Amino acid sequence: MSAEPMPTDRASTQIHNIGYRHYDGPRLGRAYARRSLFSQSLRGAYGLGRSAKSKVLPMLLFVVMCVPALIMVAVAVVTKAKDLPVEYTGYAIYLQAVIGLYVASQAPQAVSRDLRFKSVPLYFSRPIERADYVVAKYAAMASALFILTAAPLLVLYVGSLLAKLDFTEQTKGFAQGLVSVALLSLLFAGIGLVVSAITPRRGFGIAAVIAVLTISYGAVSTVQAIADAQDNGGAVSWLGLFSPITLIDGVQTAFLGAASAFPGTHGPSTGQGVIYLLVVLGLIAGSYGLLMRRYRKVGL
């Protein structure tokens, strides 16, 4: 007895053309992916390409950084002052709280969201490696910080020229200020990203970055003031090694001719400045190394 063929429902048997096509376009490779990630991360640090709500805080902090410089320039022009009321190298030190708040708000946004929503493996499924991801994020955060800190220095420089201050002196000070904020940007970006990459929770990252960058400065400054009151100038200089902003202050005091913001007149000597610089460079290199180690543990 032969088996009869099973009846088929022709109405339910269809072939769907879903339009898969072979890609014949250019293969742009890792370099293009790295540049794209850098550009996207840099824009995101100022809320560009994101919601209007995301733009408010970074743009507000940018304005807060620039407004004091505009006021100083206006006063210098109107009063025909012979010098600016603040040194180029001292501007970022005075506004370190604003810089710390910016890092605390934007560093977690740069890395914590990718970890929280587990989108990092999607990056690595493309022609991009962990080193590319870390370099792009680090460079974007450092560039965003450099824009934040260099913009008011540019305002001061242009204003000083409008006030007809000495061109050579102002140009030299402006160049020293740019070197200082470039080093600050690399240091703060590295520390901010490392702290933020520890946890996928953005709120914890914000609190941790504030504690490391801002609270540490307050604690070190307080202890330095106590040491200065006890005429212990040597301790004042060495205590500056324990806060990111005082590290930058020490480096620029030793090598960029800046006036130290340390209590009294206890800025680091040139010999101590070498140690300050080595610590800063070590922290920058260490931050990169820790980020690489962190993202090796992000599985596909």
Side-chain angles (χ1 to χ4, degrees):
M1 183 177 180
S2 62
E4 296 182 358
M6 295 292 292
T8 59
D9 186 357
R10 294 185 178 181
S12 61
T13 304
Q14 299 179 6
I15 298 176
H16 297 275
N17 180 6
I18 58 179
Y20 285 133
R21 295 180 181 179
H22 179 70
Y23 178 72
D24 296 321
R27 304 286 179 175
L28 300 176
R30 288 175 57 190
Y32 177 81
R34 186 167 54 243
R35 289 195 302 270
S36 298
L37 182 57
F38 166 79
S39 175
Q40 179 264 338
S41 300
L42 178 57
R43 286 168 51 84
Y46 284 95
L48 303 178
R50 300 168 59 200
S51 65
K53 182 180 178 181
S54 301
K55 297 179 177 67
V56 174
L57 185 57
M59 293 300 182
L60 178 61
L61 293 175
F62 182 83
V63 171
V64 171
M65 283 292 295
C66 293
V67 165
L70 288 170
I71 294 174
M72 293 176 190
V73 165
V75 171
V77 172
V78 171
T79 62
K80 297 181 179 180
K82 295 182 179 181
D83 204 354
L84 293 173
V86 64
E87 294 182 348
Y88 292 96
T89 50
Y91 193 89
I93 303 298
Y94 295 137
L95 292 176
Q96 56 82 27
V98 180
I99 300 171
L101 184 58
Y102 179 85
V103 178
S105 64
Q106 299 309 310
Q109 180 272 138
V111 293
S112 297
R113 290 165 58 89
D114 289 345
L115 293 171
R116 181 178 180 182
F117 297 110
K118 302 185 185 302
S119 58
V120 175
L122 297 179
Y123 286 107
F124 299 154
S125 67
R126 300 294 181 181
I128 187 172
E129 297 183 0
R130 285 163 175 78
D132 300 319
Y133 181 89
V134 171
V135 168
K137 289 291 184 178
Y138 200 148
M141 193 69 237
S143 298
L145 272 171
F146 184 75
I147 293 171
L148 181 77
T149 53
L153 300 187
L154 181 60
V155 172
L156 288 175
Y157 180 63
V158 173
S160 70
L161 299 182
L162 293 175
K164 298 181 180 180
L165 301 181
D166 184 75
F167 175 80
T168 302
E169 182 180 350
Q170 296 303 317
T171 301
K172 178 181 177 182
F174 178 57
Q176 291 173 334
L178 289 180
V179 172
S180 175
V181 296
L183 199 59
L184 181 148
S185 299
L186 288 170
L187 178 61
F188 275 45
I191 294 175
L193 290 176
V194 167
V195 173
S196 300
I198 293 175
T199 173
R201 295 186 177 275
R202 185 181 179 187
F204 291 162
I206 292 174
V209 173
I210 291 176
V212 172
L213 296 181
T214 304
I215 296 179
S216 65
Y217 173 71
V220 168
S221 297
T222 300
V223 178
Q224 283 180 322
I226 294 173
D228 180 60
Q230 297 176 349
D231 295 326
N232 193 347
V236 172
S237 298
W238 292 114
L239 285 168
L241 293 169
F242 297 96
S243 166
I245 195 66
T246 53
L247 277 169
I248 299 298
D249 189 357
V251 171
Q252 66 182 21
T253 299
F255 300 111
L256 298 176
S260 177
F262 290 0
T265 56
H266 305 298
S269 63
T270 303
Q272 292 172 322
V274 172
I275 298 177
Y276 271 72
L277 181 59
L278 290 175
V279 172
V280 170
L281 296 178
L283 286 173
I284 293 172
S287 297
Y288 175 79
L290 288 173
L291 286 171
M292 285 294 296
R293 182 176 181 180
R294 173 70 178 94
Y295 284 98
R296 286 195 190 99
K297 297 181 179 180
V298 180
L300 293 176

